[in-house]
Amino acid sequence: MKLDILAIGAHPDDVELGCGATIAKEVSNGKKVGIIDLTRGELGTRGTAETRDVEASKSAEILGVHSRVNMKFADGFFVNDKIHQLEIIKMIRYYKPELVICNAIDDRHIDHGKGSQLVSDACFLSGLIKIETRLDGGLNQEPWRPKAVYHYIQWKDIEPDVVVDVTGFISKKMESVLAYETQFYDPKSEEPETPISSKNFTDSIAYRARNLGRLVGVEHAEGYTVERYAAVDSLFDLK
Ligand SMILES: [Zn+2]
């Protein structure tokens, strides 16, 4: 299946928090978007891998994405090595995405920066013809390198290189985030408090989008860092 955008996160919910509104907007524009979660988030303090599976598929439905798969790498302990890179390369060659969006380049959770570098490296390697891969014992896969890799912003306030106007899509984003009922603010939950289960954190997701929007003269925006300069045909193409 050919995708326009492949959004990847270390944990189910990373993609929603980082770029949920951008995804909802592109889906509404008719783009084909898929999500890959690297792990099942099994080390998360609240909920279980099973509850996260259910929440992730509910959220995928809310966002209207075309596919969502889980790589089942080890939460907290996966590494950026040849074995993991090859698994990601197989998925990139299968989906042939024009764009890949992935974790923040640096963050509080060690899996975020690690996942970011792993996906970025796999996107490069995926374009090399001499790396041979087969998905599920099928035919040799063609090399494929996405046109660009963008990194969303997570816990830390990273200065974006480019922002996307997501006005009109913030409520869809928040709905997809809150599909992870075990993870976020819920005054009725009896599970331990975590940094992301506070009301402050949930509020910060919506507020960051509002603040980035304010800075570029729109209602809401999501920010990204780039791996090479973002180029336009004309300066008039920029908002
Ligand atoms: Zn995460």
Side-chain angles (χ1 to χ4, degrees):
M1 185 206 297
K2 168 97 177 79
L3 291 176
D4 296 299
I5 298 176
L6 180 56
I8 304 180
H11 312 109
D13 77 13
D14 285 358
V15 163
E16 286 83 351
L17 291 163
C19 62
T22 302
I23 287 179
K25 182 173 185 175
E26 294 301 348
V27 167
S28 84
N29 286 339
K31 300 287 191 210
K32 281 203 159 52
V33 182
I35 297 176
I36 291 180
D37 303 305
L38 300 183
T39 77
R40 295 172 74 203
E42 64 270 22
L43 294 187
T45 304
R46 290 159 70 114
T48 63
E50 288 73 25
T51 56
R52 288 286 271 279
D53 289 346
V54 174
E55 292 166 344
S57 52
K58 188 175 164 198
S59 171
E61 234 169 83
I62 292 166
L63 290 173
V65 295
H66 293 78
S67 68
R68 181 168 209 152
V69 297
N70 197 298
M71 302 304 292
K72 299 191 171 126
F73 294 167
D75 190 8
F77 294 101
F78 72 83
V79 290
N80 179 11
D81 65 2
K82 185 178 176 182
I83 292 172
H84 290 80
Q85 287 162 1
L86 284 170
E87 291 306 307
I88 302 293
I89 291 169
K90 287 181 202 172
M91 301 315 287
I92 294 166
R93 289 177 173 180
Y94 175 69
Y95 285 120
K96 298 181 168 45
E98 299 298 315
L99 306 177
V100 166
I101 308 179
C102 62
N103 282 109
I105 49 172
D106 174 44
D107 214 20
R108 176 184 149 278
H109 197 303
I110 59 165
D111 282 351
H112 295 169
K114 220 176 0 164
S116 170
Q117 195 60 51
L118 166 60
V119 170
S120 179
D121 290 352
C123 286
F124 173 78
L125 293 170
S126 178
L128 299 180
I129 197 164
K130 288 192 175 162
I131 297 177
E132 292 183 7
T133 55
R134 290 165 190 267
L135 185 63
D136 299 330
L139 297 173
N140 253 344
Q141 293 182 298
E142 300 278 312
W144 181 268
R145 187 174 291 147
K147 283 196 194 107
V149 179
Y150 298 104
H151 301 261
Y152 43 76
I153 297 166
Q154 300 188 253
W155 180 268
K156 287 188 185 176
D157 277 326
I158 292 176
E159 191 86 14
D161 297 319
V162 63
V163 302
V164 177
D165 177 4
V166 293
T167 303
F169 293 90
I170 197 70
S171 57
K172 186 74 100 177
K173 172 184 176 129
M174 294 314 293
E175 196 189 334
S176 75
V177 167
L178 296 174
Y180 293 88
E181 287 172 26
T182 60
Q183 301 302 303
F184 301 111
Y185 179 63
D186 174 6
K188 284 182 249 105
S189 172
E190 289 178 2
E191 294 205 81
E193 288 291 320
T194 71
I196 62 166
S197 73
S198 67
K199 183 161 187 313
N200 191 333
F201 180 74
T202 305
D203 290 348
S204 78
I205 297 305
Y207 182 68
R208 177 185 278 148
R210 197 155 173 76
N211 197 42
L212 284 175
R214 172 184 71 85
L215 291 166
V216 297
V218 302
E219 276 298 304
H220 292 98
E222 283 178 329
Y224 300 91
T225 59
V226 301
E227 297 194 352
R228 61 163 168 77
Y229 297 138
V232 288
D233 281 333
S234 156
L235 287 176
F236 290 101
D237 290 346
L238 292 166
K239 279 209 175 227

